[in-house]
Amino acid sequence: MIEKRSWRAGFYHKTGYSINCGIIWPMYVLGIETSCDETAAAVVKDGHIIVSNVISSQIDIHARFGGIVPEVASRQHLLSIIPVVDHALKQASVTLGGIDVLAVTHGPGLSGSLLVGLNTAKAISFSHGIPLIGINHLEAHIYANWLSLKSPSFPLLCLIVSGGHTDLVLMKEHSEYDLLGSTRDDAAGEAFDKAARILGLGYPGGPAVDTAAESGQPNLDLPRAWMKGTYDFSFSGLKTALLRIKQSGQIVDVNDAAASFRQAVVDVLVHKITDAARKYEVNQIVLSGGVAANRLLRNEITRRSNVAVAIPPPFLCTDNAAMVAACGYYRARRNKFHGLDLDVKPALRMA
Ligand code: KG4
Ligand code: ZN
């Protein structure tokens, strides 16, 4: 078991551990994530070593409805949050007394779901005197790339591609972001989910389209929205084109249709990010978010980029709390703590 430490407002004292310029080493961060349909908790050491990582997925519950039902999601978080946090601490062989910082997602996401994670974190923070940090879920996705032995090198370009967002971000330093472009309509993950529904591939749609596409040929003529002169994206026209083709009975093989759709999304994502990487002369490209688990996207970006590419393993691309803890570590090193008046921000943006 990791030993207990005491904490006083704005000042750390940790028995048996070294304190260097206000930085605790080693530092154990407990991350909590409940922004959507995964209840997750994780313990991360020094910002990059995953000591435990527990995820309770609600996929089976929402599959019946063909998508996430917000009220059902928040009720399920309520049932799962305490067991999930307990499990993460046990898996890490640590008690709350051994946790130095508590990092919790406070936006963006479903308000009812965010409230469960945030209020749990506040209660733990208050009762155990553990400093609290609210984390932007999108920023946490980027920090999944720090959960490895080799940290990414700045300046870097990050593509956040999830169910709710498609953002291209220039990151010059920790916590320094320039938003270069975003989707103007559907996010890439949302487009994959809608395509799966059109093709009858079930829920969750992204992995289903990806798997079907592996056995198909991209032989359908689908449009690409290049949004010339910008780093913005648009995927709703592509989804509508797929729907029209389906309604006109032109789809002979569903795997070919899935492969064509996946190719169209990936072509645009890879073109934009490689173009921006050249323009901004970055050292590295990093991918993050659920769609970064997509097999074609992973292969194509690696093949077509002139600079190093980092992509988290698929289990760290989708929602998890290890990425929240990793982000919390870099915030803590800059003394960016929050008070107990921290609130949820369902519409929080990247920059
Ligand atoms: O990051 P994430 O787990 O949750 C959000 O923050 O939104 O992303 C979930 C999204 C869903 O839309 C899901 O269909 C998509 O990521 N996704 C994929 C794949 N795995 C997950 N999309 C395409 N290919 C995949 N392999
Ligand atoms: Zn996410």
Side-chain angles (χ1 to χ4, degrees), residues 261-282:
F261 185 86
R262 181 176 74 163
Q263 188 73 54
V265 174
V266 168
D267 278 353
V268 174
L269 293 176
V270 172
H271 173 80
K272 293 265 175 187
I273 195 164
T274 50
D275 186 77
R278 267 191 300 276
K279 178 168 175 191
Y280 291 95
E281 299 180 344
V282 294

Side-chain angles (χ1 to χ4, degrees), residues 35-36 38 137 141 161-165 188-190 192-193 204-207 210 289-295 317-319:
S35 66
C36 193
E38 322 276 10
H137 178 81
H141 269 303
V161 265
S162 68
H165 296 83
E190 185 182 358
F192 269 110
D193 292 335
D210 197 17
V291 181
N294 187 272
R295 281 165 270 197
C317 288
T318 45
D319 288 350

Side-chain angles (χ1 to χ4, degrees), residues 1 30-32 39-43 50-57 79-96 99 120 124 321:
M1 285 282 168
L30 172 63
I32 295 180
T39 317
V43 176
I50 301 175
V51 191
S52 68
N53 189 26
V54 176
I55 302 173
S56 169
S57 171
L79 295 174
S80 307
I81 188 72
I82 301 295
V84 164
V85 170
D86 273 349
H87 192 172
L89 293 169
K90 280 205 184 82
Q91 205 179 73
S93 296
V94 62
T95 64
L96 284 172
I99 296 295
T120 304
I124 297 173

Side-chain angles (χ1 to χ4, degrees), residues 34 104-106 114-122 132 342-344:
T34 62
V104 59
T105 302
H106 76 125
L114 290 164
L115 275 168
V116 176
L118 179 59
N119 285 331
T120 304
K122 281 187 189 177
L132 179 74
L342 179 67
D343 205 352
V344 296

